[in-house]
Amino acid sequence: MDLRIFTEPQQGAAYETLLAVAKAAEDLGFDGFFRSDHYLKMGSVDGLPGPTDAWITLAGLARETRRIRLGTLVSPVTFRLPGVLAVQVAQVDAMSGGRVELGLGAGWFEQEHTAYGIPFPADRMSHLEEQLKIVTGMWSTKVGETFSFSGKHYTLTDSPALPKPAQGGSLPVVVGGGGAKRTPRLAAEYAADFNAGFIGVAETAERFKTVDEACRAAGRDPKTLTHSIAQVLCCGRTEAEVARRAAAIGREVDELRENGLTGSPAEVVEKLGRFAEIGTERVYLQVLDLSDLEHLELVASEVMAQL
């Protein structure tokens, strides 16, 4: 089971903080460092020093890390035009030596759009489908050929479809969510990784079943699609340490035990085992206190080693 660190920088984190977490994650053996793509804080935090742009951040990290996978979970289609996004992601992939993955979603947080003057269309899922077609189509177009697309929202005419990702046209795309029909279909058609999100074991199993059925309907072997989850992390050697980490992120221990990976390393391993039994292959560990690098060290030494 792959373990990836997932951060929420809009809650308050400078680039230097993200760099420290990414380097620690790499040194400790985690598979990836991912970040949210938001421009506005959520909840009662101050969010200082203010938002950092996801793809500018990842470009910097691409040059300052060596092994770890890098990406978004997820970039809203409302933030960027698909042709520009394809260029941005391909460039960061080249800067990393082929270690980038694109998480792409419809977007949901209307307030951040109004705060920064970003349009927030009502039919964002149709924007998502067109953007998936465009970015994957541009990357897979052969060098010397052109890419054209005419849809409801976007039109590209004779695009040179450059640059290409260092990984080639198969740069991994992450699609996730709880939609019963469209999301599984899009994951089956375009994704390398389907992320079920922040839910429990039983509901995750249902989402995996749905996306597997969508794969078979599309003529795809479900085994070629990575099945992943996201879970908030709150691990400690003692109950006092767990409580301290829960308090640092403004959460209650009992609630976190119900809705995340919380408790002793043994408890976290046990819950990950239940997720593994239903087919989970990758976990995005949501780390909310980015100053607590000892948290990552504990998981690397006493959880990862048992998986």
Side-chain angles (χ1 to χ4, degrees), residues 59-82:
L61 297 179
R63 304 303 293 172
E64 300 195 70
T65 56
R66 306 173 307 279
R67 173 195 59 81
I68 204 164
R69 304 291 294 181
L70 302 167
T72 52
L73 201 68
V74 292
S75 289
V77 295
T78 51
F79 285 4
R80 297 168 180 88
L81 296 172

Side-chain angles (χ1 to χ4, degrees), residues 2-7 18-35 57-58 60-71 92-93 95-101 167 284 296 304:
D2 294 338
L3 297 185
R4 294 179 166 183
I5 299 303
F6 170 52
T7 62
L18 296 173
L19 175 60
V21 175
K23 284 189 169 182
E26 179 168 75
D27 292 343
L28 291 167
F30 290 94
D31 181 65
F33 174 90
F34 278 59
R35 58 156 293 165
T57 298
L58 294 170
L61 297 179
R63 304 303 293 172
E64 300 195 70
T65 56
R66 306 173 307 279
R67 173 195 59 81
I68 204 164
R69 304 291 294 181
L70 302 167
V92 178
D93 192 48
M95 294 168 70
S96 73
R99 293 183 285 120
V100 162
E101 303 183 13
Q167 297 171 82
Y284 293 84
L296 304 189
M304 195 187 320

Side-chain angles (χ1 to χ4, degrees), residues 61-212:
L61 297 179
R63 304 303 293 172
E64 300 195 70
T65 56
R66 306 173 307 279
R67 173 195 59 81
I68 204 164
R69 304 291 294 181
L70 302 167
T72 52
L73 201 68
V74 292
S75 289
V77 295
T78 51
F79 285 4
R80 297 168 180 88
L81 296 172
V84 174
L85 180 63
V87 171
Q88 290 174 316
V89 176
Q91 182 177 1
V92 178
D93 192 48
M95 294 168 70
S96 73
R99 293 183 285 120
V100 162
E101 303 183 13
L102 169 63
L104 196 59
W108 61 272
F109 191 17
E110 185 173 7
Q111 188 177 350
E112 71 184 331
H113 292 73
T114 57
Y116 284 92
I118 304 167
F120 190 71
D123 56 345
R124 294 180 304 284
M125 283 300 294
S126 63
H127 283 74
L128 173 60
E129 182 161 7
E130 289 192 15
Q131 288 214 17
L132 285 167
K133 290 178 180 178
I134 291 166
V135 296
T136 58
M138 289 180 67
W139 292 336
S140 61
T141 298
K142 294 180 180 179
V143 174
E145 298 182 359
T146 60
F147 175 81
S148 296
F149 176 86
S150 180
K152 179 180 178 181
H153 307 292
Y154 309 103
T155 299
L156 288 76
T157 303
D158 295 333
S159 171
L162 296 172
K164 302 303 183 192
Q167 297 171 82
S170 58
L171 185 147
V173 172
V174 184
V175 172
K181 295 181 179 180
R182 196 174 220 179
T183 299
R185 177 176 63 78
L186 293 178
E189 187 169 355
Y190 297 104
D193 179 339
F194 171 75
N195 188 263
F198 295 88
I199 54 176
V201 176
E203 191 176 355
T204 298
E206 288 300 313
R207 289 191 185 179
F208 285 170
K209 179 181 177 182
T210 300
V211 79
D212 286 352

